[in-house]
Amino acid sequence: MSELKIPASTYRLQIRQSFDLNKAAAVTDYVHALGADWLYLSPLLEAEAGSDHGYDVVNHSRIDPARGGAEGLDKLGATARKAGMGILVDIVPNHVGVATPRANAWWWDLLTFGQESRYAEAFDVDWAAGNGKVRIPVLGDGDEELESLAIVDGELHYYDNQFPIAPGTADDGADARTVHSRQNYELINWRRADSELNYRRFFAVNSLAGIRVEVPWVFAESHAEILRWVKEDLVHGLRVDHPDGLAYPGDYLDDLQKATGGIYVLVEKILEGDEGLPPNWAAAGTTGYDALGDIDRVLVDPAGRGRLDALEGRLEDTQASMDDVWPELIYENKRHIADGILRSEVLRLARLVPEIDDADDALAELLACFPVYRSYLPFGEEHLAEAARSAKARRPDLATRVDALYPVLADPTHPAAVRFQQTSGMVMAKGVEDTAFYRFSRLTSLNEVGADPGEFAIDVAEFHRRQLFRQASLPASLTTLSTHDTKRGEDVRSRISVISEMPAEWEATLKRLRELVPLGDGPFEQLLWEAVLGAWPASRERLHAYAEKAAREAGTSTTWTAPNEEFENSMHALIDAVFDNSEVNDIVTGFVDTVAQAGWSNSLAAKLIQITAPGVPDVYQGSELWETSLVDPDNRRSIDFDLRREFLARVDRGWLPPVDETGAAKLLVTARALRLRRDRPEWFSRYLAIPAYGSAAAHAVAFDRGDAITIATRLPVGLRKRGGWGDTTVVVAGRPLVDAFTGERYAGGTLRLADLLHQYPVALLVPDDTDLAALLGESE
């Protein structure tokens, strides 16, 4: 087994057919030169053909040949070892891909033999609810869809869908409908999945079937290949996808620790507010969404909230306070999800408590009121208590049923409690991330995975408090700014956040745009225009794709299942107007020109803070230049590594790039900070807040990590309006220092920010008694 290693930083690569493990090996030298310590890879096991993300695993026994296969990982492992780098891999214990039954041997066997299949124990199927059959929601609308069934080469076909035929069920020459009626599965209309599905899924994705990794042999067989990577020193850390879907996440992490010998493990876990990880989890921390939320909010101007609240109120046609609007929106959407696309899960829960009449309504209410993603009983029972109080306050008619359910749902050994915990996260994710985030448009840089749009901004003191807590509690947890799951790339959010400093200008701009190309859906229009402006310049194709996905996720004017053709035509005409209508284009480009420099300042501040603050910084592929992607699949676009190599080489030859549209200044900041984190870890051993003094003190975020001092600009529009830094200073130890970005030297003691930050809006001060040129790569 590998010895325990903890990365100084990670660099995430999306491994797929167009960028396989061999291509990853070819950019390892660049990633190392950039300063990243470990490669962080998306899932590698064989997935559905053509899958760009890899979360739809169909075969646990091998690395996907389309992703480079075992030979590709061997090559990448050798390349990484030569560079002194580790490898972190994303794994998927909760579910498998079943879109193509023939591709998944476990699922094919289950459909063939039903409850007699060896794999019946592996999948989470409620056989009784399906009358002994697995319900497969693939049939189209119409009364005669079963007439389209055919028997082809010993299989049951429905158009392009292929299913097995159990032995002995087609021997008498029966027609396809009759053969179908004899199978261990039932093909049903796709709309029935919402309320009648009888297998657990990943959220509401029918093509991702949950597996019961708590069963020892299921764990063993689904992890054998992963454990081989660890044993052969190819992989040194694991990122666990969606542990909230597991029946017993803590036990799973214990099993993983024992099986791997205790390597570095992270969990993809979204924490709400002050929620912490269960203390019994064998994990070094999360994948870093909590850090993302903190960094974004310290760069938002709290003074803009009042005007933006009022604007949102007018767009939503409400007089209510935004402090009430957002929580109510969460509740309404979660209840809608529990009654809609996840009703089958609610009904399955109700079947586990037959002694409580009409339990489904009370269960749905408890799920809608649950304040976090899930509990891990007995840890987190207070969240169940809060949900019960809220449910009874909202629905007094349910009080008796809620009181009857509470002791059952609080009992860690009761099957209903186990499944309730698995279900609450589904309802939260679909109701909040995938719905409410697209309906609440006050400042959409705050609408990010793992963050709370209800929290508008935090001051510098609160930011420092949270970093001190991170340093003390989970110093090896990842910190991130962009991932494959973020709704907007980090630099899109940085630009949108500038609106908080100029709400009046934004209000006027939005008003004119809505007059020129109205949609009749105010909140969505604001969300869409912020995305256009945040990502600009962007291609027509990218913006059309984003608009369609965002509108259908919001579900206010159109939906995935019933698209509103008239609205969507108008929406696509709006996007075309950005390119074809000169007045609209002038407004867009004019506003972007106004906010671009401030957005870039926010971006550099966010990147430096992320890399140098407590935690293990993760750089998402390509985000060392401006990261202007929108929601997936846009954020999995291919990366131009040749351009990044060129910029890095120029920076290492002494180029100090301007802060402009190229993003090269961000690459400079990223490379210098990453190299210092990797090569001088002792310089990042503590966390001390550094106060600023003077007229512009509120515009600085500064902290001392031991021998490295970070200074970053916040609220750059306000800083410019007040005329710059003026007399503002920070006071540090009286020792010689050098800025790792500019090479400028300072005597220490009292430092004027006007001197420190004249070239860039950020500075990273380190001791001036080191060979800085060698450390920073200029000699390479």
Side-chain angles (χ1 to χ4, degrees):
M1 296 292 180
S2 301
E3 64 181 79
L4 177 62
K5 302 175 183 177
I6 297 175
S9 62
T10 63
Y11 189 98
R12 170 89 175 196
L13 292 171
Q14 294 295 115
I15 305 299
R16 49 189 169 175
Q17 186 167 4
S18 60
F19 188 86
D20 64 10
L21 290 163
N22 296 292
K23 291 185 177 179
V27 301
T28 298
D29 62 329
Y30 162 74
V31 175
H32 180 263
L34 186 69
D37 192 33
W38 282 25
L39 297 170
Y40 170 17
L41 309 179
S42 59
L44 300 181
L45 293 175
E46 185 173 3
E48 287 277 356
S51 172
D52 257 1
H53 51 75
Y55 290 98
D56 42 3
V57 173
V58 297
N59 183 357
H60 292 103
S61 68
R62 66 175 182 172
I63 298 174
D64 199 331
R67 287 171 165 76
E71 299 82 3
L73 184 59
D74 287 344
K75 180 178 180 179
L76 179 59
T79 305
R81 277 194 301 275
K82 186 176 180 180
M85 301 177 72
I87 295 179
L88 172 71
V89 176
D90 200 340
I91 63 171
V92 192
N94 175 67
H95 53 268
V96 294
V98 297
T100 309
R102 170 61 81 181
N104 189 322
W106 289 22
W107 187 248
W108 187 265
D109 196 87
L110 178 81
L111 299 186
T112 303
F113 299 106
Q115 296 179 71
E116 301 303 314
S117 167
R118 175 177 185 259
Y119 298 99
E121 188 180 22
F123 290 96
D124 200 347
V125 181
D126 186 345
W127 295 100
N131 296 315
K133 297 175 182 283
V134 183
R135 289 175 175 156
I136 312 295
V138 296
L139 298 182
D141 296 330
D143 296 332
E144 304 301 325
E145 283 299 292
L146 287 176
E147 297 295 338
S148 299
L149 292 174
I151 298 175
V152 180
D153 297 330
E155 297 174 350
L156 191 64
H157 285 204
Y158 174 70
Y159 297 106
D160 292 335
N161 300 278
Q162 302 167 18
F163 302 95
I165 294 176
T169 59
D171 294 343
D172 58 0
D175 62 27
R177 290 190 62 166
T178 300
V179 170
H180 168 253
S181 69
R182 297 170 177 172
Q183 301 312 305
N184 292 300
Y185 55 86
E186 178 189 6
L187 305 184
I188 64 173
N189 180 270
W190 66 275
R191 297 181 189 275
R192 291 172 60 188
D194 290 357
S195 59
E196 298 181 47
L197 203 71
N198 66 328
Y199 63 90
R200 181 171 59 86
R201 303 165 286 176
F202 170 74
F203 297 161
V205 184
N206 299 333
S207 59
L208 296 175
I211 59 173
R212 301 180 61 234
V213 76
E214 65 272 16
V215 176
W217 74 261
V218 176
F219 177 93
E221 295 189 20
S222 62
H223 287 67
E225 174 66 3
I226 295 167
L227 297 178
R228 179 185 72 81
W229 307 339
V230 176
K231 181 178 180 180
E232 296 181 8
D233 200 30
L234 294 168
V235 168
H236 314 96
L238 299 172
R239 179 261 200 197
V240 178
D241 180 68
H242 190 48
D244 281 352
L246 305 179
Y248 307 103
D251 290 350
Y252 169 78
L253 292 169
D254 285 343
D255 291 342
L256 195 62
Q257 183 184 51
K258 293 172 186 174
T260 62
I263 66 168
Y264 182 66
V265 170
L266 297 164
V267 289
E268 185 222 11
K269 170 62 186 167
I270 292 174
L271 301 170
E272 295 289 322
D274 291 333
E275 182 189 9
L277 281 182
N280 64 315
W281 277 17
T286 73
T287 49
Y289 295 126
D290 40 354
L292 176 156
D294 294 344
I295 294 169
D296 280 354
R297 277 154 184 74
V298 79
L299 302 177
V300 168
D301 187 355
R305 177 172 181 173
R307 188 147 195 161
L308 292 176
D309 276 2
L311 173 59
E312 180 75 6
R314 291 194 298 276
L315 294 173
E316 295 196 20
D317 192 23
T318 179
Q319 300 296 316
S321 164
M322 290 301 113
D323 286 336
D324 298 324
V325 167
W326 173 245
E328 193 63 22
L329 183 62
I330 290 176
Y331 165 77
E332 290 173 357
N333 284 320
K334 289 178 67 178
R335 181 68 211 225
H336 176 72
I337 293 296
D339 291 337
I341 60 175
L342 291 179
R343 179 152 175 76
S344 61
E345 298 296 333
V346 174
L347 293 176
R348 187 168 181 182
L349 270 170
R351 292 194 291 271
L352 294 173
V353 285
E355 70 278 11
I356 302 174
D357 293 335
D358 300 319
D360 56 307
D361 194 5
L363 286 163
E365 191 68 18
L366 285 166
L367 290 165
C369 292
F370 209 77
V372 297
Y373 273 70
R374 65 166 284 173
S375 58
Y376 309 89
L377 295 173
F379 184 81
E381 186 186 339
E382 69 275 12
H383 301 309
L384 179 62
E386 181 181 343
R389 289 191 297 269
S390 179
K392 290 190 290 185
R394 285 180 177 275
R395 293 284 305 278
D397 58 307
L398 295 177
T400 300
R401 277 173 276 177
V402 169
D403 287 340
L405 282 167
Y406 188 92
V408 174
L409 299 181
D411 177 1
T413 65
H414 197 289
V418 174
R419 188 161 298 279
F420 185 89
Q421 292 176 97
Q422 291 177 280
T423 305
S424 61
M426 299 184 195
V427 176
M428 177 74 90
K430 297 304 297 181
V432 180
E433 293 173 38
D434 292 345
T435 308
F437 275 9
Y438 291 95
R439 294 184 179 182
F440 189 68
S441 67
R442 177 180 63 187
L443 188 69
T444 55
S445 57
L446 305 179
N447 295 16
E448 198 45 84
V449 178
D452 177 8
E455 182 177 56
F456 188 82
I458 61 174
D459 60 23
V460 175
E462 175 61 17
F463 176 80
H464 288 318
R465 186 193 70 79
R466 295 183 185 186
Q467 302 318 301
L468 284 166
F469 180 78
R470 185 184 309 281
Q471 175 75 0
S473 58
L474 293 171
S477 186
L478 278 194
T479 64
T480 194
L481 290 179
S482 296
T483 76
H484 60 286
D485 279 331
T486 41
K487 307 296 184 184
R488 296 160 190 82
E490 60 201 60
D491 301 315
V492 176
R493 301 197 309 276
S494 287
R495 184 181 290 174
I496 292 172
S497 289
V498 178
I499 290 172
S500 70
E501 293 199 76
M502 43 192 305
E505 293 90 335
W506 168 243
E507 186 177 352
T509 299
L510 179 64
K511 181 176 184 294
R512 185 61 184 140
L513 288 169
R514 294 186 68 207
E515 291 169 348
L516 290 170
V517 276
L519 284 183
D521 184 339
F524 179 73
E525 289 172 74
Q526 175 164 240
L527 179 141
L528 183 55
W529 282 118
E530 286 187 2
V532 170
L533 293 162
W536 193 261
S539 70
R540 191 187 302 249
E541 179 185 18
R542 288 178 59 211
L543 293 179
H544 276 300
Y546 175 77
E548 182 173 287
K549 178 168 184 174
R552 292 180 179 180
E553 293 282 64
T556 49
S557 297
T558 187
T559 65
W560 290 107
T561 54
N564 181 331
E565 184 176 355
E566 181 180 0
F567 176 83
E568 292 196 2
N569 287 340
S570 296
M571 177 186 70
H572 288 298
L574 179 154
I575 296 300
D576 286 332
V578 176
F579 299 89
D580 302 333
N581 182 312
S582 59
E583 186 173 0
V584 172
N585 183 267
D586 287 346
I587 293 171
V588 168
T589 56
F591 191 84
V592 169
D593 287 344
T594 300
V595 301
Q597 201 68 40
W600 293 333
S601 176
N602 283 343
S603 293
L604 296 181
K607 202 65 188 174
L608 177 60
I609 291 170
Q610 181 224 352
I611 294 175
T612 60
V616 175
D618 169 44
V619 177
Y620 187 64
Q621 59 177 26
S623 65
E624 60 271 29
L625 296 184
W626 302 135
E627 216 311 308
T628 59
S629 66
L630 296 167
V631 72
D632 66 285
D634 190 53
N635 56 23
R636 295 196 298 269
R637 288 176 294 147
S638 60
I639 304 301
D640 185 347
F641 284 104
D642 289 339
L643 176 64
R644 287 160 176 80
R645 286 181 188 274
E646 176 189 342
F647 281 171
L648 183 59
R650 292 177 63 189
V651 163
D652 282 347
R653 289 194 298 268
W655 179 42
L656 294 182
V659 182
D660 62 11
E661 65 278 355
T662 67
K666 187 183 181 190
L667 184 142
L668 165 70
V669 168
T670 302
R672 299 288 173 83
L674 284 177
R675 289 169 179 174
L676 289 170
R677 283 300 301 258
R678 179 189 65 198
D679 300 336
R680 290 292 186 270
E682 70 277 11
W683 289 1
F684 299 86
S685 59
R686 67 178 185 184
Y687 187 90
L688 290 176
I690 297 179
Y693 305 97
S695 58
H699 293 274
V701 180
F703 49 84
D704 181 343
R705 294 303 316 281
D707 282 296
I709 295 172
T710 288
I711 301 174
T713 301
R714 65 187 292 264
L715 313 184
V717 174
L719 180 65
R720 186 182 68 241
K721 287 179 178 178
R722 73 166 59 246
W725 291 107
D727 62 350
T728 309
T729 62
V730 293
V731 180
V732 300
R735 57 180 177 175
L737 299 168
V738 61
D739 183 355
F741 304 141
T742 66
E744 295 182 0
R745 288 171 162 78
Y746 304 92
T750 300
L751 303 175
R752 296 179 68 248
L753 294 190
D755 297 331
L756 283 174
L757 303 178
H758 71 93
Q759 176 90 30
Y760 296 117
V762 293
L764 180 55
L765 304 179
V766 296
D768 191 19
D769 57 358
T770 59
D771 183 357
L772 192 64
L775 179 65
L776 299 182
E778 286 90 335
S779 60
E780 293 183 2

